[in-house]
Every structure is written in structure tokens, then in C-alpha cells.
Amino acid sequence: MTPLHADDRAPTTSTDRFVLRGGTIHDPLHDRDGVVDDIWIEGGKIVARPADPSGFVSVDAAGLVAMPGGVDLHSHVAGPKVCIGRRLSPPAGRGGRAPVPTIGATGLAYAALGYTTVFDAAIATGAAGLAHLELASLPVVDKGIYLLAGDDARVIDAAAAGDSAAVTRLLGAAVTAGRGWTVKVANPGGNRFWRHGRRGDHHDLDTPLPGLALTPRGLLDHLGLAVDALALPHALHVHTANLGLPGNWRTLDETMRTFDGRRVHLAHVQFHSYTGGDLDEESFGSGVEPLAERFNASPGITLDVGQVLFGDTVAMTGDSEAAAHLARTTGVPWVSHDQHLSGGCGVMPIRYREKSLVHAWQWAIGLEWYLRVADPWRAALSTDHPNGAHFLAYPLLMKLLGDEPFRREAFARIHPAVRRRSALAEIRREYSLQELCILTRAAPARIAGLHDKGHLGPGADADVVLYRPSPDLERMFAVPARVYKAGVLVAEDGEIRAAPIGATHAAAVCAG
Ligand SMILES: [Zn+2]
């Protein structure tokens, strides 16, 4: 059977009431770790075992591992910079997959992989309408967007004036108008620095924005308080300053201190965890150990890693300063896009290489982060698709986390200076199936504030993935045997069986 296109509306191949019999269930929210049981489904939802099971079609799931559908809480799948990324995308590599797929291919590939929810983590407020138009044709997966509302000139002016009520009002209006899920900030105040000619040079959280008394730390503080006042389901989503720069681990550490005791989500921490003053073999390296120590002791903070995996991809960010710095460092042609009074973005192709000092460090630092996080409920699996790697590489990442000998083999191939100095050489931890289930579904659903996702209890959306168990975790997770979305069989052995359009998650803003 050939895969369907996004606009094909195949009839569902599932009935409305059925029971998946005898699967080996991983449902961390309900503390079920490899329990053989049945999953009852009615009207697209998981239900309790009915008193009268007649009328439920029985579907055999014996021998298969059952997990909730995957939740990707930090990806880039729609909007202006993704469209630019498609144009700048290098030719499809091995396996024929383009680094930045079309919107139709994106949904089908997520579905075939067993993912049923994705959030685009950076949509400019002025581009929200266009992004929703595009996302309206994203097949299968449910979706939502985080709005880059902290770049809005009026928000910055209100924060500079110390008017927290106005900041809250403006962000609430932006989230309502843009149908956002939360507020994202990409380099707080960074676009101000960028427009005033401070192109890519270091500034810390306490350097005032050009012409203002407001600092990036002050802006973070205002945005975090406003998101909490609005009671948005997901915390302020923070991509902090100095992304990609040597020595930036201190900026991430200061960012955590700024939110001392309050909730915040830290995006793609891998790109913010570097030591050193330059890109040299002796000083550039990993700042993960002290950062993870602070993170582990800060229960209000959650994170995703933004893992780098080797190969060709496209970098795209709402952080124009970081994009300019990367373009200058790599020398590749790039696109810078200015959104007038509401931010900007930069986009360029990138090839991550095992023998590159910087890329090997990025790979090792991302893995070190996952392996030093004490509580996987506060972390989400991500490659910051497509920045660190394609989301189709998630099974490879899961194997790197869950198979220490495999990780050691990969480690032996990277740049020798990194092998010599990375703490990864000494870390033997392996993620269990249950922990991988937390990292890819249960935790991102909870962190994103989705109560009907990431678990298999009554009331959950019937997003269920059945895997064939295998000692090869990459093989196991790459091609699920069956994927159900809201009770509809959408994929089977990598083939699309139905392509219904999923729901849009938009936050109901609390009027205060
Ligand atoms: Zn991102």
C-alpha cells in the first residue's frame, strides 16, 4: 500500500468501540511498567473496563509493547522560518528524507513514528495566522504553537516601564489572537541588540537593552510572571541568551537562578552548556555537571535537550543574533528575516560531523544532559527538529540513551579531544523502556500541560502505539507495528492507513 497524501481522507479502519487485548503496557503516570493488560477504547477515548463488554471488537495486541502516543513539545514544523528552511534544505540524504519536510509529509512521518502531538516552539505573533493556515493541513497529529510574544516592541516597552499589568494584558491578547499555547522567548531582548548593531557579540542577562534600562533578566522576569498570571498550561518557554557561544553555561546557570523557585521551561539546553572562551581543544567543552546539579535541585524547572545527531540538516531560529554568529562561524549562505516590530529569524543549512570538535562536543553534551537528569519527568526528548537533527532520528537517540555499549561504540568515533575530556566516557546509565516512555510521552505531556495525552488511563485520548519488542531499540521505535490516533488506526508497519486532521491546542487565557 502506498502512503496516503495529506489531503486523502481515507475512511477509518477502526471501529468506534474496541479493546486492545493483552499488550505489555507502559503507562508511567499510572505506575504501570510492563504490565500485561487490555486497553478499552470508545469514541476516541480510553475508557475503564466496561461492565458489559459486548459490542467491543477485540483486537489482539499480545506480545506487543503498548505506550501512549509520543508528544514532541519542541519542534519547528510550520511558519516563515520553516518555509525558508525548505528552500535552503540540502538535497535529501540517505533514506531519501529531506531535512525540512512539507507540512503533509511532516504529519505522516510523525504518525508513522508513533507521535501524535507536536508543538511548534517559535511562531512570531505576526505570523501566527499564517502558521495556523499551514498547520490546518498537518495530517494526523494534534498541534499547538508557542508565540514569540516577548519580542513585541510594546511588550518590551511595557516591561521597561515596569508595568507588569500591561505586560500580562499584551501577552494575553497575543495568545488569544494568535491561538497560542504559551509564550516563548528566543534570546530575551536579543532582537533589540541585533537591530542596534550589536551583531552576535556577547551580552549577559544584566546588560541593558539598547536605549532602555530594561535588562534581559528583567524581561525574563516580567514574561514569567505574566505567563503565570495568565495561568497558561505550559510555563514560559525560554531559549536564553548567548546560544552556541563558548562559556555560555554561565548564562544558562543565571537563567535558572532568575526563576528561583518559579516554574520555567528551558529549551534546547545542549546549545547553552558550553565552557571555554573560544572554540579551542583545551577550554571549549561541557558545563553540564554544575548545570545539572542546579537543575536537579530546582523542582520548578523543566527542560528539553535539543540533541545534535550527525548528518545534514537546517538550522532555524528566532534568535537573529545566534543565527548571525553561526553563519559567520560556518561561512554558509543564510537568510535573515526581520519581522518589523515583532522579532526576526535566521535560517541556514548545517552538517554535523563526528570529527568536528564543536559538533562532537554538542553530541556528547546533549547525551550528558539526558544522563545527568535525575528525574526524567522534568525532561523531554528533542532534537529541536530540525536544528539538532530530524525528528525521524528520535529512535537513534533512544538507542543511544538505552544501550550503553552502542553509545560507547559511537563515542569511540568522535573527535579525540572530546573523547579525552568528556564525562560521557564514564557514565554508564541506561534508560529503561519505562524511562524512555516518560521522556517521549508522559513527561512532555505533563510539562506541556496536556491532561489527555501521555498516559493510558480512562479519559485519555486513545493515542496508542504498539511496538514489536526488540533488543535493538532503534529498530523497535523506528517502525511501530500499529499507531492509533484518537482510536483510529493511522499507521501500520510504517504505512499510513488513515490521515485524519488532528486538533489544535490553544490556551484559554485566564482574564485574571
Ligand atoms: Zn527550537
Side-chain angles (χ1 to χ4, degrees), residues 73-74 234-238 252 256 264-270 272-273 288 291-296 298-307 365-366 368-382 431 438-439 443-444 447-448:
L73 67 59
H74 189 114
H234 179 40
L236 178 67
H237 198 94
V238 175
L252 182 58
M256 284 196 266
V264 66
H265 181 83
L266 302 173
H268 41 65
V269 291
Q270 177 279 126
H272 302 270
S273 302
V288 175
L291 288 170
E293 201 173 307
R294 186 181 301 283
F295 173 79
N296 287 333
S298 310
I301 304 179
T302 57
L303 62 78
D304 62 86
V305 166
Q307 179 68 38
I365 286 170
E368 188 187 343
W369 254 116
Y370 284 117
L371 297 166
R372 286 193 191 277
V373 163
D375 175 9
W377 280 98
R378 288 201 280 127
L381 190 99
S382 84
Y431 270 72
I438 295 172
L439 204 59
I447 293 167

Side-chain angles (χ1 to χ4, degrees), residues 74-76 81 121-122 184 237 239 267-268 271 304 316-318 383-387:
H74 189 114
S75 184
H76 300 281
K81 64 184 178 300
K184 157 81 174 297
H237 198 94
H239 149 164
H268 41 65
F271 289 108
D304 62 86
M316 52 180 67
T317 177
T383 56
D384 189 11
H385 166 84
N387 281 298

Side-chain angles (χ1 to χ4, degrees), residues 372-419:
R372 286 193 191 277
V373 163
D375 175 9
W377 280 98
R378 288 201 280 127
L381 190 99
S382 84
T383 56
D384 189 11
H385 166 84
N387 281 298
H390 200 293
F391 62 81
L392 286 173
Y394 287 174
L396 169 61
L397 176 50
M398 293 164 87
K399 183 172 181 178
L400 285 164
L401 296 175
D403 185 340
E404 197 270 334
F406 176 74
R407 185 167 73 232
R408 204 172 337 130
E409 277 173 37
F411 185 78
R413 291 193 299 270
I414 64 173
H415 192 286
V418 183
R419 293 205 305 266

